[in-house]
Amino acid sequence: MAEPAPVGVHVYNFSDNLLQQVVHFHVIKLLDSFFLWIGTNAISFSSLAVAMETKMDGVLASSSLLGEVSDTPSISLAQKLAKKTKKQVFISFNLPTSQMMLPLVEKRIIEEMNTHPEKF
């Protein structure tokens, strides 16, 4: 008999200094999905995007749920993380959009995922 899947919500937080700014990452791990909030000390929730794999091989479905429809950082990050983790991913990206910041944020998340995969 297969063991039941673990239930509950697990919260994990980490921070880093990126481009001379402290960036906070808050992960809420759920069963087969996770929510990731990214921002500074100024708590905001101005965007929310979701992405997940579909039954068609290699095809991702994604959508902006809150905020601007053209919120590319949240959607782009959700798509990349959904593809990497094979999970449904919710992203709230609450930083000023910068061509320099987004790659650093993504790199930091991937580092944390490789170090602590059980947290995502």
Side-chain angles (χ1 to χ4, degrees):
M1 177 192 275
E3 290 188 33
V7 294
V9 175
H10 304 281
V11 178
Y12 178 63
N13 301 306
F14 60 100
S15 299
D16 203 346
N17 192 342
L18 305 174
L19 296 178
Q20 301 175 0
Q21 175 174 260
V22 177
V23 177
H24 301 285
F25 303 84
H26 302 286
V27 181
I28 300 174
K29 180 183 176 185
L30 306 164
L31 184 63
D32 297 327
S33 67
F34 66 90
F35 167 83
L36 175 58
W37 181 92
I38 304 157
T40 62
N41 280 336
I43 301 298
S44 67
F45 194 81
S46 58
S47 72
L48 180 62
V50 63
M52 67 198 88
E53 288 194 320
T54 64
K55 292 189 187 257
M56 294 184 286
D57 196 27
V59 177
L60 293 172
S62 61
S63 181
S64 177
L65 303 174
L66 176 68
E68 295 294 320
V69 175
S70 61
D71 178 23
T72 54
S74 292
I75 293 173
S76 173
L77 200 49
Q79 289 172 336
K80 289 176 183 177
L81 296 178
K83 186 172 186 168
K84 177 176 177 50
T85 63
K86 311 281 189 232
K87 294 182 177 184
Q88 184 179 35
V89 178
F90 296 88
I91 299 287
S92 181
F93 188 88
N94 301 284
L95 295 171
T97 304
S98 158
Q99 290 183 350
M100 294 176 64
M101 181 62 85
L102 188 57
L104 294 174
V105 166
E106 184 179 332
K107 180 181 176 192
R108 183 61 183 94
I109 293 166
I110 298 301
E111 287 174 359
E112 201 68 24
M113 290 176 111
N114 290 335
T115 305
H116 301 288
E118 73 284 359
K119 304 292 185 183
F120 293 85

